[in-house]
Amino acid sequence: MSLEWLAAWGWSLDGLRDCIAAGIQSVRDCDTTAAVSVACLLALFVWYCYHVGREQPRAYASVNALMQGPDAAGLQNGFVYCQSAECVRCSHSEGLNQKLYHNLQEYAKRYSWSGMGRIHKGIREQGRYLSSRPSIQKPEVFFLPDLPTAPYFSREAQKHDVELLERNFQTILCEFESLYRAFSNCSLPQGWKMNSTPSGEWVTFYLVNQGVCVPRNCRKCPRTYRLLGSLRTCIGNNVFGNACLSVLSPGTVITEHYGPTNIRLRCHLGLKTPSGCELVVGGEPQCWAEGRCLLFDDSFLHTAFHEGSAEDGPRVVFMVDLWHPHVAAAERQALDFIFAPGR
């Protein structure tokens, strides 16, 4: 048996030697100029892949990583607030357009100007766009021109993510109910944020707030947080991206307001939708439905209210921001860079 194995091994080495010799001869026979050209192109391709790949947006961290991460200790009430006085999401200074243009130039130097025409046009004429927009749609921070516009979008606009959210309706609902048991009449549980309203109460529980993960809250909703990483169009790496549980108590009215940008669609998955609740976007009313997603452009003037009774209980939706379907992949990458949290 050992002799046969040695013979077979010897034959394999001979074959390998012949293969190597044939390869060397092929290179010798090849035109030198062509070989050098191919080698240079290959080297440039490898360099480009490395240069682009090393600064790709961060993937969602695992829940276990959040459990042990250093960020977990630095949050107030489980809610992260913007810490930068120069944040483009929160700043309305006269120098905002210059800052955006500087960020775009920095992106183009690192990557490419290819596909940046619409963003360049938008930043260059941002002041005119925001001041001349009709009162029905007036994003407060950034307007990307030439995007199809409507108060509401059909489910087909982001079909994969809509269907994925709806399939996980029970999972998200169960985690909400577990959180909501901590509510009492005298205090706001840790991780929840009270929002200003003219009447009633509107509270939110953020998993992602302005592009920043809230570790303490994500640990309380691990399955919902993991679900965000499975969404193809979730905005998770710039200041326009949010994901939260939103609760309206009976008698609540949210003041009419505009969102910051038209590059996103806001998705509401109905978790608890009693009668008497309504969303109005651009003057068009819609009602939520349990287990169903509603897509709308929150750069339109919009409001929501809950006119039900105390017996009806709260209106609850899971809210997540998705990319507008007509924002191209190259534009998404650039916008993630320009509007990165803290930039």
Side-chain angles (χ1 to χ4, degrees), residues 163-182:
E163 291 180 347
L164 185 59
L165 286 165
E166 291 178 351
R167 284 199 302 270
N168 287 274
F169 159 69
Q170 286 295 339
T171 295
I172 301 171
L173 178 62
C174 287
E175 291 195 328
F176 161 74
E177 290 176 336
S178 177
L179 285 171
Y180 204 63
R181 293 190 192 103

Side-chain angles (χ1 to χ4, degrees), residues 37-87:
S37 300
V38 170
C40 290
L41 289 172
L42 181 60
L44 285 172
F45 177 72
V46 171
W47 174 85
Y48 177 79
C49 290
Y50 167 75
H51 189 65
V52 173
R54 67 176 180 170
E55 295 188 16
Q56 286 297 305
R58 291 181 300 129
Y60 282 101
S62 68
V63 175
N64 290 337
L66 291 173
M67 295 280 284
Q68 303 169 356
D71 296 333
L75 302 175
Q76 297 295 322
N77 196 33
F79 183 78
V80 60
Y81 292 87
C82 178
Q83 300 296 317
S84 173
E86 299 181 352
C87 171

Side-chain angles (χ1 to χ4, degrees), residues 51-129:
H51 189 65
V52 173
R54 67 176 180 170
E55 295 188 16
Q56 286 297 305
R58 291 181 300 129
Y60 282 101
S62 68
V63 175
N64 290 337
L66 291 173
M67 295 280 284
Q68 303 169 356
D71 296 333
L75 302 175
Q76 297 295 322
N77 196 33
F79 183 78
V80 60
Y81 292 87
C82 178
Q83 300 296 317
S84 173
E86 299 181 352
C87 171
V88 293
R89 169 63 176 84
C90 303
S91 171
H92 296 279
S93 65
E94 294 181 358
L96 177 60
N97 289 348
Q98 287 84 350
K99 183 175 180 61
L100 294 181
Y101 191 71
H102 171 77
N103 291 349
L104 175 61
Q105 285 183 313
E106 187 178 345
Y107 172 85
K109 288 177 183 177
R110 296 190 185 190
Y111 303 105
S112 170
W113 279 103
S114 178
M116 296 300 104
R118 188 159 55 174
I119 295 178
H120 181 263
K121 176 183 176 183
I123 292 176
R124 189 180 66 244
E125 303 185 38
Q126 197 64 203
R128 181 175 67 83
Y129 284 132

Side-chain angles (χ1 to χ4, degrees), residues 4 18 26 34 49 67 85 104 131 152 154 158 160-161 183 199 204 212 247 250 270-271 284-285 289 302 324:
E4 292 178 359
D18 294 342
S26 297
C49 290
M67 295 280 284
L104 175 61
S131 63
Y152 295 96
S154 73
Q158 296 296 3
H160 173 272
D161 289 353
F183 267 81
S199 63
T204 45
V212 178
V247 181
L271 301 181
E284 299 181 20
H302 63 284
H324 189 293

Side-chain angles (χ1 to χ4, degrees), residues 10-28:
W11 180 87
S12 297
L13 289 177
D14 291 340
L16 180 60
R17 183 186 60 199
D18 294 342
C19 182
I20 294 173
I24 293 173
Q25 186 60 42
S26 297
V27 172
R28 289 174 177 171

Side-chain angles (χ1 to χ4, degrees), residues 253-284:
V253 176
I254 297 176
T255 304
E256 288 186 323
H257 62 287
Y258 302 98
T261 183
N262 66 327
I263 67 172
R264 72 186 186 188
L265 296 185
R266 180 147 283 186
C267 177
H268 280 185
L269 172 65
L271 301 181
K272 291 181 177 292
T273 58
S275 59
C277 298
E278 203 166 85
L279 172 69
V280 182
V281 182
E284 299 181 20

